[in-house]
Amino acid sequence: MGKVLVMDHPLIQHKIGIIRRKETSSKDFRELVSEVAMFMAYEATRNLKLTDVEIETPIAKTTVRELEGKKMAVVPILRAGLGMVEGMLTMVPAAKVGHIGLYRDPETLKPVEYYCKLPADCGEREVFVTDPMLATGGSAAAAITMLKEKGVKKIHFMCIIAAPEGVKALTEAHPDVDIYIGALDDHLNDHGYIVPGLGDAGDRIFGTK
Ligand code: PRP
Ligand code: URA
């Protein structure tokens, strides 16, 4: 059974408070999304597997613990998930990056797939899917289904803001997946937007509205 963890670290809460403000510029929004992802990566990678390695310091031989060979991949859901990649890579620079393109049909709110490019060895890696928003949960659930079809076995989902409806849908669709959430909001409005939320994450990151 996967876990659902809402981050309560003061630095994360403070930065999310700024991200939510409607007057926050795209530049600041992008930087803060990346910083929040970096803090979240610290917690989300807590259980990565380590292996013993013999090394020599300038003083003596010793055993240190390093991450196992095939480690992790970060897979953003395009577009908005891209905003969390740099923060993740700051913490784990050796991670490979895959991309899944999905957009939410504004009428049906159902995800529509348009792109999928993953590391060739993704089946051997622990995959961290990123998307700032978990609203109905349709996009996250579809992305994770795509990863499982490609043979990925261990999957984590990281979002900055989640609606309770999305958490429920995602845990029901993929009970084995760990979910890391920056802030758990109140509800979805009639257009499928998270309340209070932050608006359209993709538009705010890329300045398209
Ligand atoms: C947003 C967001 C998620 C999705 C969440 O993407 O980044 O991918 O909606 O909604 P859901 O949980 O109801 O599926 P959007 O479709 O707006 O695409 P974009 O990132 O390209 O703007
Ligand atoms: N996608 C967004 O970008 N924001 C929401 O509130 C819901 C879906």
Side-chain angles (χ1 to χ4, degrees):
M1 191 71 180
K3 58 174 173 274
V4 177
L5 190 70
V6 182
M7 309 280 164
D8 56 3
H9 195 286
L11 293 177
I12 294 181
Q13 296 308 310
H14 178 80
K15 287 172 193 296
I16 291 176
I18 302 173
I19 291 171
R20 288 187 193 273
R21 291 169 178 255
K22 62 180 180 191
E23 66 272 21
T24 298
S25 67
S26 281
K27 174 182 175 289
D28 290 346
F29 192 95
R30 261 197 309 275
E31 286 172 6
L32 287 160
V33 163
S34 186
E35 286 172 17
V36 170
M38 190 177 76
F39 287 121
M40 291 182 74
Y42 187 76
E43 187 59 38
T45 54
R46 176 176 290 281
N47 293 317
L48 280 180
K49 291 206 172 52
L50 294 168
T51 186
D52 287 346
V53 179
E54 305 291 325
I55 61 132
E56 273 184 63
T57 75
I59 310 297
K61 289 189 175 168
T62 190
T63 305
V64 293
R65 311 203 71 203
E66 293 185 353
L67 291 172
E68 275 185 3
K70 290 281 190 318
K71 308 178 266 268
M72 53 180 276
V74 182
V75 177
I77 301 177
L78 306 180
R79 295 175 295 168
L82 284 173
M84 297 173 72
V85 173
E86 198 186 310
M88 292 289 289
L89 292 180
T90 302
M91 297 300 269
V92 193
K96 297 276 195 283
V97 182
H99 296 87
I100 290 180
L102 291 174
Y103 70 88
R104 202 171 68 148
D105 183 295
E107 300 294 322
T108 64
L109 300 183
K110 297 279 178 244
V112 182
E113 178 189 335
Y114 62 88
Y115 191 73
C116 182
K117 181 78 181 172
L118 300 172
D121 60 358
C122 69
E124 296 164 58
R125 289 179 180 268
E126 204 158 323
V127 171
F128 292 75
V129 179
T130 63
D131 192 329
M133 310 305 279
L134 180 66
T136 65
S139 303
I144 290 167
T145 298
M146 288 162 73
L147 289 169
K148 288 183 175 174
E149 285 169 0
K150 303 270 184 190
V152 181
K153 286 174 259 330
K154 184 68 188 158
I155 303 173
H156 309 258
F157 179 77
M158 298 172 62
C159 62
I160 292 185
I161 297 192
E165 294 90 330
V167 177
K168 182 168 182 291
L170 187 55
T171 48
E172 282 173 7
H174 297 290
D176 54 317
V177 168
D178 295 332
I179 306 175
Y180 298 91
I181 300 167
L184 184 60
D185 274 14
D186 196 58
H187 66 281
L188 292 179
N189 69 15
D190 292 344
H191 304 287
Y193 276 87
I194 300 174
V195 181
L198 49 71
D200 187 305
D203 283 341
R204 296 202 62 186
I205 289 172
F206 297 108
T208 39
K209 212 169 242 174

